[in-house]
Amino acid sequence: MNQTLETILTRRSTRKFLRKPIPEEEMELIVQAALHAPSAKGLQTWQFTVVRNREKIQKLATAIREVLGRKGYNMYEPEALVIPSNLKESPYGREDDACAMENMFLAAHSLGIGSVWINQLQDVCDVPAIRQVLDELGIPADHVVYGMAALGYPDDVKADKARTGKVVYAD
């Protein structure tokens, strides 16, 4: 099996991370993978905000926890958080960000770095407590966050499992 297919087929979400920094050059490769994702009409109306400061990540987690009433929520305490945001008016922002997130997850996995999609912000970006933290992180006010990538070296082992779903060939 080629390396690309192996990366795709072996990637699993990680929800427990080691306290081990991600080297700068590897973070740059992950962000470059996001920047090279497909973008509808080539508009690239996105922004990728990389947060490597644990206190800032937890400040955002606390705001999410309080706004959504999710006791104990901490975004799995990742080493890094990449926040793709997109113009609210972009008709394809959600899809563009999803493509970028998948590229990030696959790039991270190829480097031995775990990842998990965090999606709580898409409906609460403009709640004042959340917007305040997003403003502090440099997320533009005219952007929405459809998902975030929590990244770090995995501290959990994922067993291979069969994937379900129906595949139909309509030749």
Side-chain angles (χ1 to χ4, degrees), residues 18-162:
L18 296 171
R19 289 188 173 261
K20 177 181 172 185
I22 299 169
E24 190 67 38
E25 42 298 338
E26 292 187 359
M27 272 305 307
E28 183 59 31
L29 288 171
I30 293 167
V31 173
Q32 283 299 313
L35 289 168
H36 284 80
S39 173
K41 297 184 177 181
L43 296 176
Q44 300 177 1
T45 55
W46 51 36
Q47 172 178 303
F48 299 97
T49 303
V50 180
V51 184
R52 297 171 64 99
N53 179 298
R54 287 181 157 277
E55 288 79 27
K56 289 180 180 183
I57 293 169
Q58 286 312 300
K59 184 173 184 177
L60 180 58
T62 299
I64 293 169
R65 178 174 58 242
E66 291 172 3
V67 167
L68 297 180
R70 297 198 50 196
K71 188 176 179 174
Y73 182 73
N74 63 7
M75 291 198 293
Y76 311 111
E77 298 183 323
E79 281 299 314
L81 185 68
V82 181
I83 307 172
S85 61
N86 216 308
L87 286 172
K88 291 177 185 177
E89 282 74 36
S90 175
Y92 310 108
R94 180 184 315 267
E95 294 83 355
D96 290 353
D97 285 359
C99 289
M101 293 273 288
E102 182 68 7
N103 274 17
M104 282 190 278
F105 293 152
L106 293 173
H109 180 58
S110 77
L111 298 167
I113 297 167
S115 62
V116 67
W117 182 299
I118 296 177
N119 67 355
Q120 284 77 21
L121 285 183
Q122 60 187 332
D123 297 322
V124 297
C125 286
D126 291 325
V127 171
I130 300 289
R131 175 74 335 215
Q132 177 185 345
V133 179
L134 294 178
D135 288 345
E136 291 171 11
L137 295 173
I139 310 295
D142 62 346
H143 276 214
V144 64
V145 176
Y146 294 110
M148 299 177 285
L151 302 169
Y153 291 96
D155 192 20
D156 55 359
V157 177
K158 299 290 183 177
D160 195 22
K161 66 177 185 181

